[in-house]
Amino acid sequence: MDSYRIGYGEDAHALAPGRPLVIGALTIDGSPVGTVAHSDGDVLLHALSDALLAAFAMGDIGQYFPPSNPNYRGLDSRVILQTVLQRVADQVGAYRIVNLSAVVVLDQPRLGPTRRDIQRQLAGELGIDASRVGVTFKTSEGMAPDFIQSRVTVLLQTE
Ligand SMILES: [Zn+2]
């Protein structure tokens, strides 16, 4: 019998000049700031990976990729996501992602022009159609100018 699972995850990183800004596996060209992180600091992929694990009560990415492990320095977050997708499949068998809704909170740079590219990147990583990938951009209204945050909800269907 089909059943549905919902997952929620969130993540935040500090911003600093001279670092790459990667959001949803897309590097934002020309950004004056980027994320301070052990991995590439992709808040959206981290929140999404946690949401996928949370949907099946499988903990969080910190268990699978502890920040204390020097091997994960500069890690491409697509590796984290693909590892999580595989771990979920190992545990629950066949499943599909019905849709996801991702929010990114960032004051600068403005991300509106990158929405389609981020949707396409995420859809490609997940093997789903871009129409199933909602991406919402917000600013902190100046309350958290030195941080980037992301929150992701995902709906999954198992067989
Ligand atoms: Zn993170």
Coordinates of all heavy atoms in Angstrom, one line a residue, residues 10-16 19-26 28 31 33-37 40-47 103-111 114 118 136-140 143-151:
E10 N 16.3 22.3 8.2 CA 16.8 23.6 8.0 C 18.3 23.7 8.3 O 18.9 22.8 8.9 CB 16.0 24.6 8.9 CG 16.1 24.4 10.4 CD 15.3 25.5 11.1 OE1 14.0 25.5 11.0 OE2 15.9 26.3 11.8
D11 N 18.9 24.8 7.8 CA 20.4 24.9 7.9 C 20.7 26.4 7.8 O 19.9 27.2 7.3 CB 21.1 24.2 6.8 CG 22.6 24.0 7.1 OD1 22.9 23.7 8.2 OD2 23.4 24.2 6.1
A12 N 21.8 26.8 8.4 CA 22.3 28.2 8.3 C 23.8 28.2 8.3 O 24.5 27.3 8.9 CB 21.8 29.0 9.5
H13 N 24.4 29.1 7.6 CA 25.9 29.3 7.6 C 26.2 30.8 7.7 O 25.4 31.6 7.2 CB 26.5 28.7 6.4 CG 26.6 27.2 6.5 ND1 27.6 26.5 7.1 CD2 25.8 26.3 5.9 CE1 27.4 25.2 7.0 NE2 26.3 25.0 6.3
A14 N 27.3 31.1 8.3 CA 27.8 32.5 8.3 C 28.4 32.8 6.9 O 28.8 31.9 6.2 CB 28.9 32.7 9.3
L15 N 28.3 34.1 6.6 CA 28.8 34.6 5.3 C 30.1 35.4 5.5 O 30.3 36.0 6.5 CB 27.8 35.5 4.6 CG 26.5 34.9 4.2 CD1 25.5 35.9 3.8 CD2 26.7 33.9 3.0
A16 N 31.1 35.3 4.6 CA 32.3 36.0 4.6 C 32.8 36.3 3.2 O 32.5 35.6 2.3 CB 33.4 35.2 5.4
R19 N 34.7 33.9 -0.4 CA 34.4 32.5 -0.4 C 33.3 32.2 -1.4 O 32.5 33.1 -1.7 CB 33.9 32.1 1.0 CG 35.0 32.3 2.1 CD 34.5 31.7 3.4 NE 34.3 30.3 3.3 CZ 35.2 29.3 3.6 NH1 36.4 29.7 4.0 NH2 34.9 28.1 3.5
P20 N 33.2 31.0 -1.9 CA 32.2 30.7 -2.9 C 30.8 30.6 -2.3 O 30.7 30.2 -1.1 CB 32.6 29.3 -3.5 CG 33.5 28.7 -2.5 CD 34.2 29.9 -1.7
L21 N 29.8 31.0 -3.0 CA 28.4 30.9 -2.6 C 27.7 29.9 -3.4 O 27.5 30.1 -4.6 CB 27.7 32.3 -2.7 CG 26.3 32.3 -2.2 CD1 26.2 32.0 -0.7 CD2 25.6 33.7 -2.5
V22 N 27.4 28.8 -2.8 CA 26.8 27.6 -3.5 C 25.4 27.4 -2.9 O 25.3 27.2 -1.7 CB 27.6 26.3 -3.4 CG1 27.0 25.2 -4.2 CG2 29.1 26.6 -3.8
I23 N 24.4 27.5 -3.8 CA 23.0 27.3 -3.3 C 22.3 26.3 -4.2 O 22.2 26.6 -5.4 CB 22.2 28.6 -3.3 CG1 23.0 29.7 -2.4 CG2 20.8 28.4 -2.8 CD1 22.4 31.1 -2.5
G24 N 21.9 25.2 -3.7 CA 21.2 24.2 -4.5 C 22.0 23.7 -5.6 O 21.6 23.5 -6.7
A25 N 23.3 23.5 -5.3 CA 24.3 22.9 -6.2 C 24.6 23.9 -7.4 O 25.3 23.6 -8.3 CB 23.9 21.6 -6.8
L26 N 24.2 25.2 -7.2 CA 24.5 26.2 -8.2 C 25.5 27.2 -7.5 O 25.2 27.7 -6.5 CB 23.3 26.9 -8.7 CG 23.5 28.0 -9.7 CD1 23.7 27.3 -11.1 CD2 22.4 29.0 -9.8
I28 N 26.9 30.7 -7.3 CA 26.4 32.0 -7.6 C 27.6 32.9 -8.1 O 28.3 33.4 -7.2 CB 25.6 32.7 -6.5 CG1 24.6 31.7 -5.9 CG2 25.0 34.0 -6.9 CD1 23.5 31.3 -6.9
S31 N 29.3 36.7 -6.5 CA 28.8 37.1 -5.2 C 30.0 37.6 -4.4 O 31.0 37.0 -4.3 CB 28.2 35.9 -4.5 OG 27.8 36.2 -3.2
V33 N 30.2 37.7 -1.2 CA 30.3 36.9 0.0 C 30.0 35.4 -0.3 O 29.3 35.1 -1.3 CB 29.4 37.4 1.1 CG1 29.9 38.7 1.7 CG2 28.0 37.4 0.7
G34 N 30.5 34.5 0.5 CA 30.2 33.1 0.4 C 30.1 32.5 1.8 O 30.3 33.2 2.8
T35 N 29.8 31.2 1.9 CA 29.5 30.6 3.2 C 30.8 30.1 3.8 O 31.8 29.7 3.2 CB 28.6 29.4 3.0 OG1 29.1 28.6 1.9 CG2 27.2 29.8 2.8
V36 N 30.8 30.3 5.2 CA 31.9 29.7 6.0 C 31.4 28.4 6.5 O 30.4 28.2 7.2 CB 32.1 30.6 7.2 CG1 33.2 30.1 8.1 CG2 32.5 32.1 6.8
A37 N 32.1 27.3 6.0 CA 31.7 25.9 6.3 C 32.8 25.0 6.1 O 33.8 25.3 5.5 CB 30.5 25.6 5.4
D40 N 31.2 22.6 1.2 CA 31.0 23.8 0.4 C 29.9 24.8 0.9 O 29.7 25.8 0.3 CB 30.8 23.4 -1.1 CG 29.5 22.7 -1.2 OD1 28.7 22.6 -0.3 OD2 29.2 22.1 -2.4
G41 N 29.3 24.4 2.0 CA 28.4 25.3 2.7 C 27.1 25.5 2.0 O 26.5 26.6 2.1
D42 N 26.6 24.5 1.2 CA 25.4 24.7 0.5 C 24.2 24.5 1.4 O 23.7 23.3 1.7 CB 25.4 23.6 -0.7 CG 24.2 23.8 -1.6 OD1 23.2 24.3 -1.2 OD2 24.4 23.5 -2.8
V43 N 23.6 25.6 1.9 CA 22.6 25.5 2.9 C 21.4 24.7 2.4 O 20.7 24.0 3.2 CB 22.1 26.9 3.4 CG1 23.0 27.5 4.4 CG2 21.8 27.8 2.3
L44 N 21.0 24.9 1.1 CA 19.8 24.3 0.6 C 20.0 22.8 0.5 O 19.1 22.1 0.9 CB 19.5 24.9 -0.8 CG 18.0 24.8 -1.2 CD1 17.8 25.7 -2.4 CD2 17.6 23.4 -1.6
L45 N 21.1 22.3 0.1 CA 21.3 20.9 0.0 C 21.4 20.3 1.4 O 21.0 19.1 1.6 CB 22.5 20.5 -0.8 CG 22.5 20.7 -2.3 CD1 23.5 19.9 -3.0 CD2 21.1 20.4 -2.9
H46 N 22.0 21.0 2.3 CA 22.0 20.5 3.7 C 20.6 20.4 4.3 O 20.3 19.4 4.9 CB 22.9 21.4 4.6 CG 24.4 21.4 4.2 ND1 25.3 22.2 4.7 CD2 25.0 20.7 3.2 CE1 26.5 22.0 4.1 NE2 26.3 21.1 3.2
A47 N 19.8 21.4 4.1 CA 18.4 21.4 4.7 C 17.6 20.3 4.0 O 16.9 19.6 4.6 CB 17.8 22.8 4.5
V103 N 13.0 27.2 1.0 CA 13.1 28.7 1.2 C 14.6 29.0 1.5 O 15.3 28.3 2.2 CB 12.3 29.1 2.5 CG1 12.4 30.6 2.8 CG2 10.8 28.7 2.3
V104 N 15.1 30.1 0.9 CA 16.4 30.6 1.2 C 16.3 32.0 1.6 O 15.6 32.8 1.0 CB 17.3 30.5 -0.1 CG1 18.7 31.1 0.2 CG2 17.5 29.1 -0.6
V105 N 16.9 32.3 2.8 CA 16.9 33.6 3.4 C 18.3 34.2 3.2 O 19.3 33.7 3.7 CB 16.5 33.6 4.9 CG1 16.4 35.0 5.4 CG2 15.2 32.8 5.1
L106 N 18.4 35.3 2.4 CA 19.7 35.9 2.2 C 19.4 37.4 1.8 O 18.5 37.7 1.0 CB 20.4 35.2 1.0 CG 21.7 35.8 0.6 CD1 22.8 35.6 1.7 CD2 22.2 35.1 -0.7
D107 N 20.2 38.3 2.4 CA 20.0 39.7 2.1 C 20.6 40.1 0.7 O 20.1 40.8 -0.1 CB 20.5 40.6 3.2 CG 19.5 40.6 4.4 OD1 18.5 39.8 4.3 OD2 19.8 41.3 5.4
Q108 N 21.9 39.7 0.6 CA 22.7 40.0 -0.6 C 23.6 38.9 -1.0 O 24.2 38.3 -0.1 CB 23.5 41.3 -0.4 CG 22.8 42.6 -0.3 CD 22.1 43.0 -1.6 OE1 22.5 42.6 -2.7 NE2 21.1 43.9 -1.5
P109 N 23.8 38.6 -2.3 CA 23.1 39.2 -3.4 C 21.6 38.7 -3.6 O 21.3 37.7 -3.0 CB 23.9 38.7 -4.6 CG 24.5 37.4 -4.2 CD 24.7 37.5 -2.7
R110 N 20.9 39.5 -4.3 CA 19.5 39.1 -4.6 C 19.5 37.9 -5.5 O 20.3 37.8 -6.5 CB 18.7 40.2 -5.2 CG 18.5 41.4 -4.3 CD 17.8 40.9 -3.0 NE 17.8 41.9 -2.0 CZ 16.8 42.7 -1.7 NH1 15.7 42.7 -2.4 NH2 16.8 43.6 -0.8
L111 N 18.7 36.9 -5.2 CA 18.8 35.6 -5.9 C 17.7 35.4 -7.0 O 17.8 34.4 -7.7 CB 18.7 34.4 -4.9 CG 19.8 34.4 -3.9 CD1 19.5 33.4 -2.8 CD2 21.1 34.0 -4.5
T114 N 18.4 33.8 -10.3 CA 19.0 32.4 -10.3 C 17.9 31.3 -10.1 O 18.3 30.1 -10.1 CB 20.1 32.3 -9.2 OG1 19.4 32.3 -7.9 CG2 21.1 33.4 -9.3
I118 N 18.6 27.2 -10.2 CA 18.6 26.4 -9.0 C 17.5 25.3 -9.1 O 17.8 24.2 -8.7 CB 18.4 27.3 -7.7 CG1 19.6 28.2 -7.5 CG2 18.0 26.5 -6.5 CD1 19.4 29.2 -6.4
T136 N 11.7 29.5 -3.0 CA 11.3 30.8 -2.5 C 12.5 31.6 -1.9 O 13.2 31.0 -1.1 CB 10.2 30.6 -1.4 OG1 9.2 29.8 -1.9 CG2 9.7 31.9 -0.9
F137 N 12.6 32.8 -2.3 CA 13.7 33.6 -1.7 C 13.1 34.7 -0.8 O 12.1 35.3 -1.1 CB 14.5 34.3 -2.9 CG 15.1 33.4 -3.8 CD1 14.9 33.4 -5.2 CD2 16.0 32.4 -3.3 CE1 15.5 32.5 -6.1 CE2 16.6 31.5 -4.2 CZ 16.3 31.6 -5.6
K138 N 13.8 34.8 0.3 CA 13.4 35.9 1.3 C 14.6 36.6 1.7 O 15.7 36.1 1.6 CB 12.8 35.2 2.6 CG 11.6 34.3 2.3 CD 10.4 35.1 1.9 CE 9.7 35.8 3.0 NZ 8.5 36.5 2.6
T139 N 14.5 37.8 2.2 CA 15.6 38.5 2.9 C 15.3 38.5 4.4 O 14.1 38.3 4.8 CB 15.8 40.0 2.4 OG1 14.8 40.8 3.0 CG2 15.7 40.1 0.9
S140 N 16.3 38.8 5.2 CA 16.1 38.9 6.6 C 15.7 40.3 7.0 O 15.6 40.6 8.2 CB 17.3 38.5 7.4 OG 18.3 39.6 7.4
M143 N 18.0 41.9 9.4 CA 18.2 41.4 10.8 C 19.3 40.3 10.9 O 19.8 40.1 12.0 CB 16.9 40.7 11.3 CG 15.8 41.7 11.5 SD 14.2 41.0 12.1 CE 13.6 40.2 10.6
A144 N 19.6 39.7 9.7 CA 20.7 38.7 9.8 C 21.5 38.8 8.5 O 21.6 37.9 7.7 CB 20.1 37.3 9.9
P145 N 22.2 40.0 8.3 CA 22.9 40.2 7.0 C 24.1 39.4 6.8 O 24.6 39.2 5.7 CB 23.2 41.7 7.1 CG 23.3 42.0 8.6 CD 22.3 41.1 9.2
D146 N 24.6 38.8 7.9 CA 25.9 38.0 7.8 C 25.6 36.5 7.7 O 26.5 35.7 7.9 CB 26.8 38.3 9.0 CG 27.1 39.8 9.0 OD1 27.3 40.4 7.9 OD2 27.3 40.4 10.1
F147 N 24.4 36.1 7.5 CA 24.0 34.7 7.5 C 23.2 34.4 6.3 O 22.5 35.2 5.7 CB 23.2 34.3 8.7 CG 24.1 34.4 10.0 CD1 24.1 35.6 10.7 CD2 24.8 33.3 10.4 CE1 24.9 35.7 11.8 CE2 25.6 33.4 11.6 CZ 25.6 34.6 12.3
I148 N 23.3 33.1 5.9 CA 22.4 32.5 4.9 C 21.7 31.4 5.6 O 22.3 30.6 6.3 CB 23.1 32.1 3.6 CG1 22.1 31.6 2.6 CG2 24.2 31.1 3.9 CD1 22.6 31.3 1.2
Q149 N 20.4 31.3 5.3 CA 19.5 30.2 6.0 C 18.7 29.6 4.9 O 18.4 30.2 3.9 CB 18.6 30.8 7.0 CG 19.3 31.7 8.1 CD 18.3 32.5 8.8 OE1 17.4 32.0 9.5 NE2 18.4 33.9 8.7
S150 N 18.4 28.3 5.2 CA 17.5 27.6 4.3 C 16.6 26.7 5.1 O 17.0 26.1 6.1 CB 18.2 26.8 3.2 OG 17.3 26.1 2.3
R151 N 15.3 26.5 4.6 CA 14.4 25.6 5.2 C 13.7 24.8 4.0 O 13.3 25.4 3.0 CB 13.3 26.4 6.0 CG 14.0 27.2 7.0 CD 13.0 28.1 7.9 NE 13.9 28.9 8.8 CZ 14.1 30.2 8.7 NH1 13.6 30.9 7.7 NH2 14.9 30.8 9.5

